[in-house]
Amino acid sequence: MLNAQERAHIEQVWDLIAGHEAPFGAELLLRLFTVYPSTTLYFKHLGACPDEVHLLSHGQRMLEAVGVAVQHMDNLRAALSPLADLHAHVLRVDPTNFPLLIQCFQVVLASHLQDEFTVEMQAAWDKFLTGVAIVLTEKYR
Ligand code: ZNH
């Protein structure tokens, strides 16, 4: 699915995030909730405006899962299977929300990497995160 060049881009960018999953994740969620308020529907238990502690803890869990996906780029389906069950059967997150999250993810990367975030990196991350989203949404029916 991803060629050698694309993998290298994913790994190179992940090195920036690894070890800082909580702050990056919190930033991602804050952007998602602010730019696409409809996404907060799924996080009602966090209240009208989720506090920093919740953003950090949920953001960390979410990005740790992305880290697992980075380690298993060739085998996303197996690596993310329990998480796919959770999103499809328990959380029932509408699949249309995934592209919104991916877009916010790209903006977070761009804002941190600035000029270093090349078009090739963006393309590789888009392909990779779309692959993750496909796996997380394919158990719906
Ligand atoms: Zn999700 C949860 C990941 C997307 C919503 N998530 C979760 C978790 C994780 C994740 C890891 C945790 C689990 C446990 O704890 O067990 N996600 C993820 C990823 C992605 C996602 C990786 C992509 C890429 N999500 C998503 C979306 C949404 C969501 C798009 C909507 C909007 N999630 C969610 C919720 C939850 C989760 C609601 C639950 C939370 C709590 O619990 O608090």
Side-chain angles (χ1 to χ4, degrees), residues 1-2 7 9-11 13-22 24-26 28-29 57-76 79-80 83 87 98 101-102 104-106 108-109 124-133 135-136:
M1 164 196 152
L2 294 160
R7 281 154 198 281
H9 286 314
I10 306 292
E11 279 159 7
V13 172
W14 184 254
D15 280 346
L16 172 90
I17 300 172
H20 310 280
E21 286 83 355
F24 274 101
L28 171 62
L29 287 173
S57 72
H58 184 63
Q60 174 167 12
R61 276 183 285 153
M62 214 168 196
L63 283 216
E64 280 172 354
V66 174
V68 169
V70 172
Q71 320 290 247
H72 297 88
M73 274 188 265
D74 290 317
N75 209 356
L76 287 181
L80 301 178
L83 209 50
H87 285 79
F98 285 78
L101 182 89
I102 292 173
C104 291
F105 202 110
Q106 299 276 23
V108 170
L109 293 180
W125 270 85
D126 193 66
K127 196 167 167 184
F128 167 67
L129 290 172
T130 299
V132 170
V135 169
L136 291 187

Side-chain angles (χ1 to χ4, degrees), residues 28-29 32-33 36 38-46 54 57-67 69 80 82-83 86-87 90-102 105 128-130 132-133 136-137 140:
L28 171 62
L29 287 173
L32 181 71
F33 296 161
Y36 303 109
S38 63
T39 58
T40 59
L41 185 90
Y42 299 101
F43 296 87
K44 280 216 183 89
H45 54 294
L46 301 190
H54 280 112
S57 72
H58 184 63
Q60 174 167 12
R61 276 183 285 153
M62 214 168 196
L63 283 216
E64 280 172 354
V66 174
L80 301 178
L83 209 50
L86 182 76
H87 285 79
V90 182
L91 301 172
R92 308 192 64 83
V93 173
D94 189 292
T96 56
N97 289 285
F98 285 78
L100 309 180
L101 182 89
I102 292 173
F105 202 110
F128 167 67
L129 290 172
T130 299
V132 170
L136 291 187
T137 56
Y140 288 70

